[in-house]
Amino acid sequence: MTDFPLNITRKAIAAFDAYSARGGATGALHLDANESPYAPPPVKGAAGFNRYPEQQPPALRARLADLYGVPADRIMVGRGADEAIEVLLRTFCEEGPEGNKDYILICSPTFGYYETCAQIQGAGIIDVPLKADYTWNNAAILETAKAAKNLKAVFICTPNNPTGTAIEDDLVERLCETLPNTLICVDEAYQEFSGRPSYAPKITQYRNLVVMRTLSKAYALAGVRGGVAIADPAVINIMLKVLPPYPIARPVENAILNALAPAAMATHAARLDEWLAERERMFTELQKSPYIAKVWPSRANFLLIDVLNDDALMRELNRRQVKIRDYRSSTGHMRISIGSPSENTIALEAFGITQDAGPEDRIGEMHRKTKETDISVRVNLDKTTPIKADTGIGFYDHMLEAFAKHSGISLVMSCKGDLEIDAHHTIEDCALALGTALQDALGDKAGAGRFGFVMPMDETQARVAVDLSGRPAMTFKGVFPTDHAGTFPAEMCPHVFESLSQTMGAAIQIEVEGENTHHMIEAVFKGVARALKPAFARNGDEIASTKGVI
Ligand SMILES: *Cc1c(COP(=O)(O)O)cnc(C)c1O
C-alpha cells in the first residue's frame, strides 16, 4: 500500500485540510488572531502570554527530539503520553456501521487508558492476555492480530504497567513486519527505568511503528503535562490534524525546557541511580513482609505485589496514610510506586518491616539558568559517591571533585557556560550554586558539627577555618606566584570561596603559602574541604549553638 497511513485513517479525518492556526509570535505585526497587544500583568515572566503559541512550539519540539534521539518532524508533542494515545485513537479508529467497527489489540493486565480511549471512539477491544509470568504471548498475539478485521492499532506497553515486565525479544519488530496496515504502538512511559533500549530509533525502519514517551515519570513533570508520540512523519502529520491547535501553553513549554536544560540532565541521572537502588531495596525488603506472598521483579518505578491477609494490611496503610494502587478486584494484585528513601521507609513500616534506617540523607539540589550559565548541582552530605564535575574547565572539575572527596560528600555538578567569553561566569556561578545546594542540604543544621579547622599538613600549605554560622564572611591571605593554573585564573580562587561563603552562609578564613600556583590552589580547595568535613558531619540531632538556631 503506497498510501499508508491514509488508507487506515478515518475517512472523516482524511477528508479535511488541517485547521490553520497561526500561532507563534514572530517579529511581524500580528493583527491576525484577535490577540491582546498587552502582556498580562505581572509583566515579569509573562512575555509572549498575549500571543497564541504554535501548535508544536519549535524550541520544545527540538529539545524533545534531541532527548529521544529522533528528527523533530517525527515527534508530536502533546499534553502527556495520554494525549498522544487519545489523538491516535481519534485519528484512526471509529465505530463505523454495524459489524464493521475498528479494533485495537491490548495485552491485559495493562494501562487502562487504551481501553478508555477506544471506548470513547466506539472502537472494539481485542485482548490477548499476558502469560502467567506476565510476559507476552507472542504466538497468540501474532495469530490473533493476523486474523482480526479492521485492526487499527496494537498497544504494547513495555515496561508494562502494572506488571513491570519488559519485552526482551523481537515481538515488536515481528508485529511491524507482519501487520503493515496496523499501527504498532509501543508505550515507553517507563523506558528510563528499564535498562532496555528505546524503540524510538526503529521508526525509520517501520512506518507503522509509533512510540509513546512521557515526561511524567522519570523527568518528574506529571503536573506540567508533557509527552510525545514518535513516528514516521506521515503518521505524525495526520495526527497533528486531530491535535488541538494550541495544546502547549507557554508556561508549560518554559517549565519543560527548564527542567530538561542540558545541565539538569546530570541531576536526572543521579536521581535515577538512587531511584533504581531504592527499587532494589523495596524489592528485597517487601519480600520479608508478613502481608506479601510475592513481589514481582520490575523494570519500572513500581512493584507489583501479591498480598495476603489484606484487611490488616489495609488498616496499617490507612493508619499511616500510605496510598498504593489496589487492583485486587481485577487482577488480585496491588501496585506500589517507588518513592523517596524516607517515603519508602514509611511504606515498609506499613508492611510490617521496620528498619533502623537512621535519619534521612541530607540532599541539596540547585538549578540555575542565566544568559551566561546553565548549572545543575546535587549534593548528598551523607553519601560519598557519586562524585562528578563537568564544568568545561578541566582544572576546576578536578578541584571540585577533590573538594567533594575531601569533605566526604557526594557531588554531581554540570555547567554549560559561556566559556567562549571567559571562565569567570562559569567559575563564579558554579561556586554560588554549590553554596546554595550545600545550604539546602544542611537545612536547620541539626546534628552538624558546624566548625572546622585545618592546619598545614604534608601535602597542603593552607590553613583554613570554617563556621557554618549562617553569616557569610570570607578572608583570604595569600599571593599566587603566577596568574593561572591551566585555564583557571588564580584570582578566581578567593572568589570561589567568597561566592561559596555567600550562598552557603558560612564564615571561611583561608591562608595559603607556596611557590606553585597549581599546588597552592589545590591546597586551598582541599583545605576548605577538610575543614568542612567535621562541620558537615552529623552526630545526633542537636543544633550546635546555644541559641538553638544557626
Ligand atoms: C503514566 C502513563 C502514561 C501517561 O503519561 P502522561 O504523559 O502523564 O499522560 C502513559 N502510559 C503509561 C503506561 C503510563 O503508565
Side-chain angles (χ1 to χ4, degrees):
M1 282 275 175
T2 51
D3 59 350
F4 181 89
L6 266 184
N7 60 329
I8 62 164
T9 303
R10 285 175 54 203
K11 289 202 173 43
I13 304 291
F16 66 84
D17 290 334
Y19 175 76
S20 128
R22 192 217 65 232
T26 61
L29 175 59
H30 280 295
L31 300 176
D32 56 349
N34 306 339
E35 296 151 331
S36 166
Y38 310 104
V43 174
K44 192 168 161 11
F49 281 11
N50 53 324
R51 301 290 175 191
Y52 283 110
E54 287 190 51
Q55 189 195 29
Q56 295 287 283
L60 181 61
R61 205 181 192 196
R63 179 69 191 97
L64 293 178
D66 188 45
L67 182 69
Y68 297 127
V70 295
D73 64 348
R74 288 165 196 262
I75 72 171
M76 181 192 85
V77 186
R79 289 162 289 194
D82 279 354
E83 185 162 52
I85 295 163
E86 183 195 324
V87 164
L88 187 130
L89 265 292
R90 286 168 60 204
T91 307
F92 296 100
C93 296
E94 63 192 329
E95 193 165 2
E98 196 66 50
N100 204 28
K101 67 175 161 188
D102 291 330
Y103 283 88
I104 67 163
L105 188 151
I106 62 170
C107 301
S108 69
T110 191
F111 188 50
Y113 199 55
Y114 314 133
E115 195 167 341
T116 303
C117 290
Q119 282 161 336
I120 292 169
Q121 281 305 106
I125 290 143
I126 301 171
D127 183 12
V128 183
L130 297 175
K131 296 194 282 195
D133 63 356
Y134 296 134
T135 59
W136 286 259
N137 192 339
N138 292 7
I141 294 169
L142 284 157
E143 203 178 304
T144 310
K146 267 193 275 183
K149 202 174 131 224
N150 298 343
L151 180 64
K152 291 299 183 70
V154 175
F155 279 92
I156 300 281
C157 183
T158 179
N160 186 43
N161 179 1
T163 60
T165 38
I167 290 188
E168 319 243 356
D169 58 21
D170 60 354
L171 172 63
V172 170
E173 291 82 350
R174 283 168 71 194
L175 283 165
C176 287
E177 280 158 18
T178 320
L179 306 165
N181 287 308
T182 297
L183 294 168
I184 309 305
C185 306
V186 181
D187 186 339
E188 292 189 332
Y190 302 97
Q191 189 275 337
E192 292 86 352
F193 306 95
S194 72
R196 303 274 319 157
S198 168
Y199 284 92
K202 301 217 166 178
I203 52 156
T204 51
Q205 212 172 323
Y206 302 113
R207 61 184 190 174
N208 55 338
L209 175 63
V210 184
V211 175
M212 317 283 183
R213 302 292 300 257
T214 177
L215 303 177
S216 299
K217 311 285 163 51
Y219 293 107
L221 290 167
V224 173
R225 310 305 299 131
V228 301
I230 304 172
D232 187 86
V235 174
I236 293 296
N237 285 336
I238 294 184
M239 287 173 63
L240 287 175
K241 287 173 80 174
V242 177
L243 185 76
Y246 317 109
I248 310 295
R250 288 187 192 271
V252 168
E253 180 186 11
N254 296 343
I256 296 174
L257 288 175
N258 282 333
L260 299 181
M265 301 317 282
T267 295
H268 287 300
R271 288 173 168 190
L272 185 61
D273 285 347
E274 181 180 291
W275 210 342
L276 293 177
E278 280 297 295
R279 180 178 75 191
E280 285 320 297
R281 174 166 84 105
M282 291 299 276
F283 179 71
T284 308
E285 294 300 322
L286 283 171
Q287 299 189 46
K288 302 175 187 161
S289 168
Y291 301 117
I292 292 182
K294 181 173 168 94
V295 184
W296 293 79
S298 169
R299 287 192 173 268
N301 65 336
F302 53 79
L303 295 168
L304 188 73
I305 51 184
D306 295 355
V307 291
L308 301 164
N309 202 1
D310 324 344
D311 287 350
L313 173 62
M314 293 322 286
R315 271 198 306 279
E316 285 304 305
L317 290 169
N318 280 337
R319 200 162 69 76
R320 291 179 168 80
Q321 286 287 299
V322 175
K323 296 206 185 305
I324 68 173
R325 198 65 173 252
D326 191 353
Y327 294 111
R328 282 172 300 162
S329 57
S330 55
T331 66
H333 297 108
M334 298 182 91
R335 189 194 69 195
I336 179 165
S337 307
I338 307 301
S340 70
S342 58
E343 290 171 346
N344 296 334
T345 297
I346 295 171
L348 285 172
E349 279 168 14
F351 280 94
I353 302 153
T354 354
Q355 290 196 313
D356 188 14
E360 206 176 328
D361 282 3
R362 293 167 299 169
I363 293 173
E365 288 185 358
M366 171 71 192
H367 304 265
R368 189 172 185 276
K369 196 174 171 190
T370 64
K371 285 203 183 71
E372 288 142 3
T373 54
D374 174 4
I375 296 175
S376 126
V377 53
R378 185 175 209 265
V379 296
N380 185 335
L381 304 186
D382 299 299
K383 290 258 172 354
T384 53
T385 57
I387 293 178
K388 177 136 188 53
D390 177 15
T391 64
I393 304 166
F395 181 78
Y396 196 31
D397 290 347
H398 181 48
M399 290 303 107
L400 289 166
E401 289 177 359
F403 175 88
K405 185 156 185 359
H406 289 270
S407 57
I409 67 170
S410 160
L411 167 69
V412 176
M413 172 168 262
S414 174
C415 174
K416 315 277 170 213
D418 56 355
L419 293 177
E420 66 291 349
I421 299 176
D422 68 11
H424 187 279
H425 294 141
T426 294
I427 295 170
E428 171 171 317
D429 290 0
C430 284
L432 289 168
L434 175 60
T436 308
L438 288 169
Q439 154 100 308
D440 180 26
L442 281 163
D444 66 4
K445 302 186 187 133
R450 177 176 166 178
F451 301 102
F453 313 91
V454 172
M455 298 308 285
M457 285 171 287
D458 287 350
E459 78 278 34
T460 166
Q461 311 108 312
R463 278 180 294 281
V464 177
V466 300
D467 174 7
L468 305 180
S469 59
R471 291 178 298 278
M474 206 285 296
T475 58
F476 187 93
K477 285 196 195 128
V479 181
F480 295 110
T482 56
D483 56 10
H484 274 82
T487 56
F488 188 93
E491 58 172 10
M492 289 306 289
C493 178
H495 200 61
V496 163
F497 294 100
E498 173 74 42
S499 303
L500 193 70
S501 135
Q502 287 294 330
T503 49
M504 191 167 52
I508 305 178
Q509 293 170 5
I510 302 169
E511 283 176 41
V512 61
E513 283 143 33
E515 275 141 36
N516 177 306
T517 305
H518 182 129
H519 291 163
M520 286 168 72
I521 295 176
E522 191 158 347
V524 171
F525 272 85
K526 284 186 185 167
V528 175
R530 293 253 172 111
L532 281 170
K533 191 171 182 167
F536 288 158
R538 184 163 53 180
N539 189 359
D541 54 11
E542 263 185 47
I543 293 181
S545 163
T546 48
K547 295 196 209 95
V549 288
I550 310 178

